[in-house]
Amino acid sequence: MSETKADRLETWKKRWETNTFKFHLDHVNPNLIKYLDKLTIGQSRVKILLPLCGKSLDLLWLYKLGHSVVGVEGCEKAILQFFDEQKLNFHVEKVDSIDGKCYKTEIGRASCRERV
């Protein structure tokens, strides 16, 4: 029997709950730094989507450069850890269209969306 999307999400949630993941970097992804100018086409203050973002430091780095960042994550714990560890004030909004929540900084340039 093949694994369903719900099964995969539960597997990831368990990894976050038990801190048994090896993919999180303690630094900004070097390829993002190297290719940022190509990604943004040399523009400043663009909106950047980071799917399956976890608590990636890439979000904060791009945010500090002045970009608007939107992270998408299936595990609320990862999102809460990101905002807590980076000491960013945020609020939560319900998003009916995705049956989920949106966690936004007070000025709205950083947000993470979680589908529940």
Side-chain angles (χ1 to χ4, degrees):
M1 184 189 306
S2 65
E3 186 179 52
T4 66
K5 288 180 185 179
D7 293 336
R8 285 194 301 273
L9 182 56
E10 283 308 309
T11 297
W12 283 114
K13 285 181 179 181
K14 285 178 186 171
R15 287 183 179 178
W16 276 104
E17 291 302 321
T18 59
N19 292 318
T20 53
F21 48 84
K22 298 178 182 174
F23 53 84
H24 179 70
L25 299 175
D26 62 357
H27 56 275
V28 176
N29 186 308
N31 286 317
L32 178 59
I33 296 169
K34 182 177 180 179
Y35 295 108
L36 180 65
D37 195 51
K38 289 185 184 213
L39 174 69
T40 62
I41 314 170
Q43 297 179 3
S44 60
R45 302 186 186 273
V46 298
K47 186 177 261 189
I48 300 173
L49 174 68
L50 289 99
L52 304 173
C53 62
K55 59 178 185 175
S56 173
L57 296 178
D58 300 349
L59 290 162
L60 184 66
W61 183 71
L62 291 164
Y63 177 78
K64 285 183 173 181
L65 289 175
H67 300 293
S68 294
V69 292
V70 177
V72 178
E73 177 56 53
C75 181
E76 182 178 40
K77 183 174 183 176
I79 296 169
L80 294 174
Q81 283 183 1
F82 169 76
F83 283 103
D84 182 55
E85 290 173 8
Q86 305 313 321
K87 298 181 181 14
L88 295 171
N89 293 325
F90 68 98
H91 63 277
V92 182
E93 299 173 1
K94 188 174 185 215
V95 182
D96 292 328
S97 62
I98 62 168
D99 189 25
K101 301 175 194 172
C102 181
Y103 304 74
K104 289 184 178 182
T105 57
E106 298 302 318
I107 58 172
R109 278 195 311 104
S111 65
C112 290
R113 289 145 199 226
E114 174 210 17
R115 184 167 181 216
V116 292

